[in-house]
Amino acid sequence: MQSVLSVAVDALAYGMVLFVISIGLSLTMGLMRVVNLAHGAFAMVGGYLASYAMRDLGLGYVVGLVLAVAGTVVIAAPIERLLYRRIYNAPELIQVLMTIGITFCVIGIANYAFGPTLKTIPLPGLLSGPVDLGFRSIAAHKLFAILCGFAVAAALWYLVERTSFGVKLRASVDNTPMAAALGVRTKSVYAASFAVSAGLAAFGGVVGAELLPIEPYYALRYMVTFLVVVAVGGAGSIGGALLACLVLGAVDTAGRYLMPDYGEFFFYLAVILIVCAFPRGLLGRA
């Protein structure tokens, strides 16, 4: 029973970290129709900024986290204005080439500025120890990641489904000329959506640094993993992304516990089976 609980807790924490980072990519691909392969680069930028703020400047965890998210959004805003707006309606191949190029540029600049070494993000005392749940103890940072995942899911669902901004975003995606004719500032809506996506990537990169370490080629190492979450859950679906992360997190964690020699075999086997059964993703829209 202890082994089962350990697998369940680790799977839930890993799945929530994947969700927080990947949900921005899901919204970008599903709602804004952009194949953004540079999404992981924004998570990497957030991790680098947080590590610098906490280790080199001596700032606290909360302050470093806020600065990392804000700094990533500030960096992402001109990139969206100068580069992404040129490819919103471009063929997918152009989008792929552009965003891969951005990824390599970010990796090169980050390694030049901060050095090509693993970046650690020190945890505060509140998150570095165990939390006693009565029936067992759980690492505080894993519990924090789980709570952050559910909080992000609830906040995003409310933003997209229950606010005027969500209505404008969905209208801009479904029919951009008509939305603009009705007074919706579609460019501003897209810019705000992109900023939210980049901010969530940075937030996930910092919160999940204990499970997905921030290293020089982070953006490339986990690029496929983030894309897999979108493909399995269904692009643009918050519930689908959450379900995909929970399922894939459980499969990957159980496989590593029970058969560590197989590496990520079971993870990608599950991806193949799910995509074959659900070509549009678990909760993808036609």
Side-chain angles (χ1 to χ4, degrees):
M1 180 58 68
Q2 289 295 324
S3 297
V4 172
L5 290 175
S6 296
V7 172
V9 169
D10 289 349
L12 186 58
Y14 179 61
M16 288 296 98
V17 169
L18 283 183
F19 172 77
V20 174
I21 299 176
S22 303
I23 186 58
L25 177 60
S26 179
L27 294 178
T28 301
M29 293 182 64
L31 297 181
M32 298 172 65
R33 313 281 174 80
V34 177
V35 184
N36 183 19
L37 298 188
H39 186 76
F42 295 113
M44 177 181 172
V45 169
Y48 269 71
L49 292 178
S51 178
Y52 177 76
M54 296 178 200
R55 293 183 61 85
D56 297 334
L57 300 182
L59 301 178
Y61 186 84
V62 175
V63 176
L65 177 59
V66 172
L67 288 178
V69 173
T72 303
V73 171
V74 169
I75 292 172
I79 294 177
E80 188 275 339
R81 176 66 180 83
L82 298 174
L83 298 179
Y84 278 85
R85 287 191 186 182
R86 301 175 182 272
I87 62 171
Y88 279 150
N89 297 315
E92 286 80 2
L93 180 59
I94 299 298
Q95 296 177 351
V96 167
L97 293 176
M98 170 75 82
T99 53
I100 285 181
I102 293 173
T103 298
F104 279 104
C105 288
V106 169
I107 290 174
I109 294 172
N111 289 333
Y112 176 79
F114 299 103
T117 57
L118 180 72
K119 301 301 176 184
T120 59
I121 297 177
L123 295 174
L126 187 63
L127 298 180
S128 59
V131 176
D132 187 5
L133 300 180
F135 59 92
R136 65 155 292 152
S137 295
I138 175 177
H141 70 86
K142 292 182 180 179
L143 182 61
F144 178 64
I146 293 170
L147 294 177
C148 286
F150 284 116
V152 167
L156 271 182
W157 176 84
Y158 183 82
L159 177 67
V160 174
E161 300 293 340
R162 291 292 185 269
T163 66
S164 60
F165 175 79
V167 173
K168 293 176 182 178
L169 174 60
R170 286 181 277 121
S172 299
V173 170
D174 290 338
N175 195 325
T176 301
M178 181 59 71
L182 293 174
V184 177
R185 300 176 63 183
T186 56
K187 292 183 179 179
S188 298
V189 170
Y190 274 27
S193 301
F194 190 85
V196 170
S197 173
L200 285 175
F203 180 74
V206 178
V207 171
E210 293 294 316
L211 301 176
L212 301 180
I214 304 298
E215 47 94 10
Y217 290 94
Y218 178 99
L220 291 178
R221 182 180 298 276
Y222 300 112
M223 177 191 295
V224 174
T225 303
F226 302 148
L227 286 174
V228 160
V229 171
V230 177
V232 171
S237 173
I238 298 173
L242 180 59
L243 180 59
C245 289
L246 293 177
V247 171
L248 295 177
V251 171
D252 189 48
T253 304
R256 292 179 185 276
Y257 263 90
L258 301 176
M259 298 181 181
D261 293 338
Y262 283 82
E264 296 181 335
F265 170 79
F266 295 104
F267 179 87
Y268 288 105
L269 177 62
V271 171
I272 292 171
L273 295 177
I274 293 173
V275 171
C276 288
F278 302 93
R280 297 187 181 276
L282 294 173
L283 298 179
R285 297 179 299 175

